[in-house]
Amino acid sequence: MSAESRRTGDEFTRLADPYQQELLAHCYRMLGSFQDAEDLVQETLIRAWRGYDKFDERSSLRTWLYRIATNACLTALQSNHRRVLPSGLGAATESPETADLSRADALPWLGPIPTHRLGDPQDDPAGIAALRDSTRLALIAAFQRLPARQRAVLLLVDVVAFRPAEAAEFLGITVTAARSLLQRARETLAQDVPDEEDTASNSTADAALDEKIMRQYLHAFETSDTAALAELLRSDIEYEMPPIPTWFLGRAAVVDHLSRRAFTRPHRSLATSANGCPAVATYSLAKNGSFAAHGIHVLEIRNGLIARIVVFLDSALFPSFGLPASLPGSPAP
């Protein structure tokens, strides 16, 4: 590599680095998979680096990167089905005793994103809060219901704040076509949009309360304390466990399910965060006496009670959260 090429590469890296977090959030909203989003961001940066010497600066570097990332996502979506949560497949059950808990690993499940990958609030509190709000699970699931090009235009205009004309240029379509896609996407989303309280960021006081509730949930789970757990749940709580299609509705059903299935063996837990929400990583007792990674519980808390729990039963997620694959020691007393 020549000295000039190295200078160009170093310059590109310096200029592009500040946009990596928002590009990751954008690709995650498009794809519903953190791992796929990471891959697409790297592909975007490689493509942009290779073509940087031809970048004519008629648009900003940020705009250019978003154009590359959006089209990379659209290409990826041509061969992928939309990602879902169990609640997007069918009605809930209130009968854990007879529920079918078979896994459906072949389905394209929506996955969580580690909150720390969306940036440190100390760097840019408002910007990071906006990124986290726009990646709440309820919103990501709603975005996934849109056809790919509608999704792209909606995210570019309503989330990232590009103009419809810019979105049209990204996709190589007319402004009229972009506005049509945007209108249809908004109409579809309006029919099933999450409540504002499901997606809005919390105040500092609310965040402290959420942290307290998460710690209480962690302790109740470790000690199999069904009474303490029940006090933390809303009466209409939703409980999902991808890749298991069956999901539960209501406090009684959730407590019954955990009593029958989860609380029959020792667990240990660690606090974490996903999609801007408090989360708990659980570990189950293994035959060798250690505790093996089991699931990431994402807690959606409203008005001091847990309204929704999505348990991602995939030990492969743990490294992305900076979590160990196993824990030593004995179960909590």
Side-chain angles (χ1 to χ4, degrees):
M1 180 182 291
S2 67
E4 179 63 29
S5 296
R6 283 196 297 272
R7 285 196 297 273
T8 300
D10 292 344
E11 177 184 86
F12 170 77
T13 300
R14 176 178 58 82
L15 294 175
D17 185 67
Y19 303 116
Q20 287 199 45
Q21 287 170 341
E22 61 176 290
L23 287 172
L24 179 64
H26 178 61
C27 291
Y28 174 66
R29 297 184 206 107
M30 283 288 296
L31 303 172
S33 164
F34 170 61
Q35 289 78 11
D36 290 352
E38 273 196 314
D39 291 344
L40 264 293
V41 169
Q42 292 307 308
E43 181 179 330
T44 295
L45 294 174
I46 290 171
R47 288 186 185 181
W49 172 73
R50 287 174 175 168
Y52 185 61
D53 59 338
K54 300 181 180 65
F55 176 53
D56 58 15
E57 299 187 14
R58 286 183 298 177
S59 62
S60 69
L61 179 64
R62 177 176 181 267
T63 297
W64 189 50
L65 291 171
Y66 265 97
R67 180 187 295 114
I68 297 171
T70 300
N71 282 286
C73 287
L74 288 172
T75 298
L77 288 168
Q78 289 177 359
S79 57
N80 293 333
H81 297 290
R82 71 180 181 92
R83 292 185 174 272
V84 296
L85 287 174
S87 56
L89 296 176
T93 179
E94 298 179 3
S95 304
E97 183 176 4
T98 58
D100 179 5
L101 298 183
S102 301
R103 295 172 64 103
D105 292 287
L107 285 175
W109 295 105
L110 188 150
I113 185 170
T115 299
H116 73 269
R117 292 301 306 273
L118 297 172
D120 187 342
Q122 293 182 351
D123 297 334
D124 178 13
I128 300 305
L131 278 184
R132 293 181 177 183
D133 287 348
S134 67
T135 55
R136 299 291 175 130
L137 283 172
L139 273 177
I140 300 301
F143 293 149
Q144 297 299 301
R145 298 186 184 104
L146 298 172
R149 296 203 327 160
Q150 287 186 29
R151 191 186 316 168
V153 174
L154 179 92
L155 292 175
L156 288 169
V157 176
D158 286 357
V159 178
V160 190
F162 284 109
R163 293 178 290 108
E166 292 174 301
E169 183 181 355
F170 288 6
L171 273 62
I173 59 178
T174 66
V175 177
T176 300
R179 291 187 184 278
S180 177
L181 289 170
L182 180 61
Q183 180 180 349
R184 281 181 281 161
R186 287 172 173 170
E187 289 173 351
T188 299
L189 215 58
Q191 297 171 10
D192 194 24
V193 70
D195 292 337
E196 185 175 346
E197 67 172 359
D198 293 354
T199 56
S201 60
N202 295 326
S203 67
T204 301
D206 288 339
L209 177 59
D210 288 356
E211 172 79 10
K212 177 181 178 181
I213 292 170
M214 181 271 290
R215 295 288 177 182
Q216 292 173 333
Y217 177 88
L218 185 156
H219 182 71
F221 203 91
E222 281 195 337
T223 57
S224 301
D225 190 338
T226 55
L229 180 72
E231 291 181 358
L232 300 174
L233 309 180
R234 274 184 30 162
S235 60
D236 60 348
I237 183 172
E238 299 175 1
Y239 187 93
E240 307 183 58
M241 304 163 287
I244 297 173
T246 298
W247 60 288
F248 299 109
L249 177 64
R251 182 189 297 122
V254 172
V255 172
D256 188 11
H257 162 72
L258 291 173
S259 299
R260 291 175 182 275
R261 305 284 182 172
F263 293 167
T264 57
R265 59 191 184 278
H267 285 83
R268 291 192 66 187
S269 306
L270 294 175
T272 186
S273 181
N275 296 78
C277 294
V280 171
T282 59
Y283 295 76
S284 296
L285 184 63
K287 292 181 179 180
N288 64 3
S290 67
F291 288 81
H294 184 256
I296 306 286
H297 299 220
V298 182
L299 312 181
E300 296 183 3
I301 301 170
R302 297 178 217 142
N303 301 320
L305 291 173
I306 302 173
R308 189 182 190 209
I309 302 172
V310 182
V311 183
F312 294 94
L313 298 173
D314 185 359
S315 60
L317 295 171
F318 280 57
S320 298
F321 284 81
L323 296 167
S326 64
L327 295 176
S330 57

